[in-house]
Amino acid sequence: MTTKGSLQQHLLSQSADRALFERAADYALDYMESAYGRAVTPTADSLAALSIFDEPLSDDPCDPREIVGLLHFHGSPATLATTGGRYFGFVNGAAVPAAVAAGWIADAWDQNAGLYVMSPIAARLEAVCERWLVELFGLPEGTVMGLVSGTSTATLCGLAAGRNALLARAGWDVNKQGLFDAPKIRVVLGEQAHATVFKALALLGMGNERVQRVGVDAQGRMIASKMPQLDDKTLVITQAGNVNSGAFDPIDEICSKARAAGAWVHVDGAFGLWAAASEKKRHLTRGVQKADSWSVDAHKTLNAPYDCGIVLCADRQVLVAAMQATGSYIQYGEHGKRRDGMLTTLDMSRRARAVELWATLKALGKRGVEELVDGLCDRAAQFAEGLVVNGFTILNDVVFNQVLVACDTPEETKATLEQIQQSGECWCGGTVWDGKPAIRISVCSWATTEADVDRSVAAFTAVRGRK
Ligand SMILES: *Cc1c(COP(=O)(O)O)cnc(C)c1O
């Protein structure tokens, strides 16, 4: 690129450079096509080639065509093919095509979704998504939504709301008075609560060790009868979807007890809350509407693009009060038609996540969401059956999209996992279940076909016992 002319002149001409954006689109489309068929993991060579990015920041500007080329030719090969059909790591969803396309438009808009006055379209789509989600999950009318980066943050928001509400009822204003000398809040959760719950508790000054851990059954579900006496200063955290086994706490029983005692219930439903959108799986989330707040990811089971976490709270005022922000220059809309996204989240400025969330929900429809959820569960069941037939042991009841696998010995399990991860045929993570190593399969991509599962089972069988 010539260095003549001002930066502004350069940027102006780049913004009108259709060929640049068409090239970027071509690269992206090539990538999407290749993701279904290619090896799931990058080769050692493509990882080594990443060193091209390790350079000092140059003094002069760089041609944007060179930039998209670098990303395509050196970045793309070093990705994991999580949008394909044979990636089963963590609980990572793929992305529904309509949402990827919508995201391109949203990128061009570059809206700030913090306030209605900054982006009426983002505010409107958020309001629509809120209505749709409340209906899909069967939550109480008036439940409010905040769009955040993921369930980690959504849980932080929900627990902040719960903590503040319990203390407010005891006559204590956390925003003003802080936590020193505040009445004591008790936290009750299952022994297998997700790591991000403990992180949120630590950040919120409630401590991640001064909690009462309730015993769990063989699937990792909280045993409701083992819960301590609850009261109106108790924060109960329950789980819709154990991150290893996929099991659901007995939410109905837990919520009933909590309600009777005046306790606050937060549901960590990162991937499992979507069961509520399926006729076949809804029973797993029975009673979930009786909770006070919920966290869930759209970027997991729903297959919306990253990053899209959702906090939901039955009492709008409580969440708004917890996320409070004031400033003389802030211009709030009125609630209802003029929704201000920053009122229900930690952030002020943030991207318009609602565009992709809305596109995903609209592209699928109620029936599509249900078919997506059921399909992930069916493929998980198929995976488990295929592995059993081939001599593997399934450690969990496969009630949702998660499958835990072991070989005959812990050593063989570990070696098999390592081989699977290196094979490029499919990718799974590892975990420890019941004190022993296990291979953890999460079927979370819309793209996973029955043939992908068969091919992955074959990969397991092929690498087993190999050193
Ligand atoms: C994934 C997950 C989280 C964390 O969600 P992020 O979107 O990664 O922040 C929390 N709880 C459970 C049960 C999860 O599966």
Side-chain angles (χ1 to χ4, degrees):
M1 192 176 89
T2 163
T3 49
K4 293 216 184 81
S6 73
L7 175 71
Q8 193 171 44
Q9 279 166 349
H10 281 305
L11 296 183
L12 259 174
S13 69
Q14 287 164 15
S15 75
D17 183 358
R18 288 190 90 94
L20 164 67
F21 290 95
E22 278 160 13
R23 184 180 296 191
D26 277 345
Y27 288 158
L29 293 170
D30 285 351
Y31 179 79
M32 288 198 290
E33 262 171 41
S34 73
Y36 302 109
R38 61 167 262 216
V40 181
T41 40
T43 62
D45 284 349
S46 48
L47 293 179
L50 287 176
S51 61
I52 195 165
F53 292 104
D54 292 328
E55 56 175 354
L57 181 60
S58 66
D59 288 328
D60 294 318
C62 176
D63 185 337
R65 295 187 195 199
E66 189 183 329
I67 288 172
V68 294
L70 273 170
L71 286 175
H72 185 58
F73 294 108
H74 297 277
S76 296
T79 59
L80 273 103
T82 51
T83 57
R86 284 171 288 109
Y87 179 87
F88 307 105
F90 306 94
V91 192
N92 289 351
V96 166
V100 176
W104 292 1
I105 293 176
D107 278 346
W109 288 352
D110 192 29
Q111 296 286 280
N112 184 333
L115 289 168
Y116 177 87
V117 290
M118 294 194 288
S119 183
I121 174 63
R124 181 56 62 101
L125 292 181
E126 275 197 20
V128 170
C129 289
E130 179 178 271
R131 237 180 25 245
W132 289 355
L133 290 175
V134 166
E135 191 190 337
L136 275 179
F137 296 140
L139 301 182
E141 213 176 303
T143 295
V144 70
M145 170 191 90
L147 288 186
V148 294
S149 53
T151 289
S152 303
T153 308
T155 298
L156 184 72
C157 296
L159 295 184
R163 177 197 65 182
N164 292 11
L166 292 173
L167 285 172
R169 285 180 214 152
W172 189 270
D173 183 336
V174 178
N175 288 342
K176 290 190 182 143
Q177 295 168 277
L179 283 178
F180 299 109
D181 304 323
K184 282 208 166 104
I185 292 286
R186 250 182 344 140
V187 177
V188 172
L189 43 66
E191 253 168 19
Q192 292 194 7
H194 195 268
T196 54
V197 167
F198 294 100
K199 177 172 175 166
L201 289 170
L203 284 167
L204 289 167
M206 291 193 281
N208 54 25
E209 283 190 3
R210 56 173 293 288
V211 295
Q212 288 179 278
R213 292 171 188 248
V214 180
V216 295
D217 66 13
Q219 300 300 317
R221 289 177 294 223
M222 208 196 291
I223 301 170
S225 62
K226 286 199 177 172
M227 284 177 43
Q229 197 64 39
L230 304 177
D231 60 25
D232 61 1
K233 287 193 199 62
T234 311
L235 192 52
V236 181
I237 303 161
T238 180
Q239 190 163 256
N242 178 293
V243 78
N244 283 315
S245 69
F248 291 64
D249 284 345
I251 296 172
D252 196 40
E253 207 178 334
I254 291 167
C255 285
S256 297
K257 281 179 193 247
R259 271 208 168 173
W264 180 285
V265 182
H266 179 84
V267 180
D268 174 2
F271 63 95
L273 195 59
W274 295 101
S278 152
E279 186 79 35
K280 281 192 208 142
K281 295 292 172 186
R282 190 167 300 138
H283 64 97
L284 294 167
T285 60
R286 197 157 59 87
V288 82
Q289 76 284 356
K290 292 190 232 165
D292 299 281
S293 56
W294 304 263
S295 39
V296 57
D297 274 323
H299 58 227
K300 289 180 178 169
T301 317
L302 184 69
N303 280 237
Y306 291 101
D307 42 14
C308 194
I310 300 160
V311 57
L312 294 146
C313 186
D315 187 332
R316 177 176 191 272
Q317 277 318 315
V318 169
L319 184 60
V320 171
M323 300 296 120
Q324 54 95 41
T326 50
S328 53
Y329 68 96
I330 299 175
Q331 185 185 336
Y332 289 120
E334 14 173 314
H335 178 56
K337 281 199 207 83
R338 294 161 173 248
R339 178 199 170 83
D340 294 314
M342 65 172 279
L343 290 178
T344 51
T345 63
L346 295 176
D347 302 304
M348 182 180 268
S349 298
R350 63 196 169 89
R351 55 191 286 272
R353 299 186 173 97
V355 177
E356 285 136 303
L357 176 58
W358 167 82
T360 307
L361 290 168
K362 188 160 172 67
L364 295 173
K366 279 189 217 165
R367 223 174 321 128
V369 174
E370 183 161 30
E371 197 175 324
L372 173 65
V373 173
D374 290 348
L376 302 178
C377 298
D378 289 347
R379 248 82 76 201
Q382 181 200 344
F383 215 139
E385 278 161 30
L387 288 170
V388 167
V389 168
N390 285 282
F392 291 88
T393 305
I394 303 303
L395 304 171
N396 64 320
D397 294 342
V398 181
V399 295
F400 204 58
N401 66 330
Q402 304 288 117
V403 185
L404 297 173
V405 191
C407 302
D408 293 341
T409 65
E411 293 70 34
E412 198 191 1
T413 303
K414 276 198 206 160
T416 302
L417 174 61
E418 214 169 285
Q419 294 280 342
I420 280 286
Q421 291 190 343
Q422 284 168 17
S423 72
E425 276 292 283
C426 67
W427 201 94
C428 310
T431 189
V432 175
W433 187 250
D434 207 9
K436 295 193 196 77
I439 303 171
R440 190 175 162 283
I441 296 167
S442 179
V443 184
C444 209
S445 165
W446 64 264
T448 300
T449 60
E450 288 177 11
D452 284 319
V453 173
D454 286 342
R455 186 168 156 185
S456 301
V457 170
F460 267 73
T461 311
V463 301
R464 184 174 183 176
R466 219 190 269 165
K467 286 281 171 316

